Amino acid sequence: MVKHWSLRPTDALRADGLRIADLDTSGTPGFDGDKQKGQQLLAERATVLSGLQEKLFANGRTGDSRNVLLVLQGMDTAGKGGIVRHVIGSVDPQGVDHASFGVPTEEEQQHHYLWRIRKALPRAGQIGVFDRSHYEDVLVVRVHNLVPPEVWEPRYDEINAFERELVEQGTTLVKVAMFVSLDEQKNRLMERLDRPDKYWKFNPADIDERDYWPAYQEAYQVMLDRTSTEIAPWHVIPADRKWFSRLSVTELLIDALERQKLDWPPAEFDIEEQKRRLIEA
Ligand code: ADP
């Protein structure tokens, strides 16, 4: 059992059967400690994550095709950026393939919605991070009727098939949906208006989106119900407490990497011979 967790984080946070409407967004499911314990543990676990990531990278350099893809979804202010900065920020940047997905560009609109996603997939040995993802095509698109239901409806099955293909090619998917309460979102948006160092994060349209909160909750629920699969399960992170969401994602990534049972790649040269050469050089 991981220190301070009464359940394995992967089990405690698993989306299966979960109703978002019942979620306590300030909860810390499976974790027994307080904020101080959580922050201490986060620092320890960041070191573990960084070591595992280096092994993944080393294997990628020596022909192993495996990689990890972290998919981050959440409403505005849920803390996706904080995960990138504080969790992914703890590993070697050369081992990270980061991509964020906003409103599709004109060029992207002319292609299938998975076109831009496929282009951004992580290379071998990398930890890929999607800040928003193909799931926007069943979230914002569904909520705002950007295409008719007969177009978005088949996407759930299509996404499952797409992800199966990725898994078969050696990708471990870590799918994370982060949820803050409507009140906590208000606090975080207000903070963006109160602090000059946060103005740049504020978008007036984020306030309009609050009117669509119930529609988003529904779209997120259907997304979890239809695309949390055995090979690519969703995890739901209560995100009112930033330390908890960062610790949770760290644990999920560690679990994904540990399941790969990576070793350091063996030397592709005769070690003794190379030592002799070096001594004589
Ligand atoms: P963020 O809000 O995550 O900081 P941006 O300012 O780039 O990043 O905004 C992303 C916006 O793009 C969000 O409002 C999101 O809903 C929207 N978006 C992402 N993907 C799509 C899509 N496929 N179709 C329409 N809108 C999308």
Side-chain angles (χ1 to χ4, degrees):
M1 194 62 61
V2 186
K3 196 164 141 192
H4 299 314
W5 287 86
S6 57
L7 287 170
R8 288 179 64 221
T10 41
D11 295 332
L13 301 167
R14 190 111 177 195
D16 300 14
L18 185 128
R19 301 283 93 200
I20 300 169
D22 301 334
L23 182 73
D24 173 7
T25 54
S26 65
T28 62
F31 187 70
D32 290 335
D34 56 8
K35 179 174 180 176
Q36 199 197 353
K37 285 245 159 55
Q39 285 176 328
Q40 268 169 14
L41 184 59
L42 179 58
E44 282 173 37
R45 301 295 280 166
T47 308
V48 174
L49 176 61
S50 176
L52 286 163
Q53 180 268 336
E54 193 184 354
K55 259 187 198 167
L56 178 70
F57 185 77
N59 280 281
R61 279 298 179 89
T62 49
D64 191 324
S65 65
R66 285 178 295 176
N67 57 18
V68 170
L69 176 58
L70 174 66
V71 173
L72 294 172
Q73 282 294 156
M75 301 289 288
D76 293 313
T77 77
K80 302 185 293 296
I83 297 294
V84 174
R85 187 167 171 173
H86 297 278
V87 176
I88 300 303
S90 68
V91 308
D92 185 347
Q94 67 177 326
V96 175
D97 280 339
H98 174 270
S100 55
F101 298 97
V103 177
T105 61
E106 229 167 83
E107 187 189 23
E108 287 168 351
Q109 274 171 30
Q110 278 157 23
H111 291 85
H112 188 270
Y113 69 98
L114 291 176
W115 180 74
R116 64 176 182 165
I117 303 293
R118 287 184 188 278
K119 279 207 311 180
L121 289 170
R123 292 163 291 166
Q126 300 288 111
I127 295 185
V129 183
F130 280 2
D131 182 346
R132 303 184 190 272
S133 66
H134 40 300
Y135 285 101
E136 291 292 325
D137 292 281
V138 289
L139 291 169
V140 63
V141 167
R142 173 180 169 138
V143 167
H144 288 287
N145 300 311
L146 300 180
V147 297
E150 56 272 24
V151 176
W152 55 252
E153 168 60 35
R155 288 181 177 172
Y156 298 97
D157 291 342
E158 192 172 31
I159 287 173
N160 288 338
F162 168 63
E163 291 184 352
R164 173 166 289 283
E165 197 189 304
L166 297 187
V167 170
E168 282 166 1
Q169 286 163 10
T171 298
T172 302
L173 278 147
V174 179
K175 301 194 295 191
V176 167
M178 303 171 71
F179 293 95
V180 281
S181 67
L182 197 52
D183 279 349
E184 179 61 16
Q185 190 194 49
K186 187 179 244 176
N187 295 338
R188 291 184 184 181
L189 288 174
M190 192 60 83
E191 196 183 17
R192 291 181 181 180
L193 291 169
D194 279 338
R195 287 181 42 179
D197 61 325
K198 297 216 170 189
Y199 295 161
W200 66 276
K201 290 190 187 183
F202 184 78
N203 176 358
D206 293 347
I207 297 180
D208 302 317
E209 282 298 271
R210 287 169 62 78
D211 291 340
Y212 294 91
W213 194 268
Y216 272 108
Q217 297 283 100
E218 189 196 348
Y220 267 98
Q221 186 68 57
V222 178
M223 175 195 86
L224 296 178
D225 292 345
R226 294 195 56 185
T227 62
S228 197
T229 57
E230 200 56 47
I231 53 154
W234 273 107
H235 293 91
V236 168
I237 314 266
D240 285 1
R241 299 172 200 255
K242 290 178 182 171
W243 64 267
F244 180 71
S245 48
R246 292 169 192 173
L247 176 63
S248 297
V249 177
T250 303
E251 298 289 9
L252 295 176
L253 286 171
I254 288 175
D255 175 82
L257 287 161
E258 282 181 345
R259 274 187 286 126
Q260 296 189 338
K261 301 204 183 326
L262 297 163
D263 273 323
W264 292 108
E268 288 169 343
F269 43 81
D270 182 329
I271 299 167
E272 291 311 316
E273 184 194 334
Q274 295 305 317
K275 280 189 182 169
R276 266 196 311 276
R277 285 187 58 227
L278 184 59
I279 289 165
E280 285 160 15

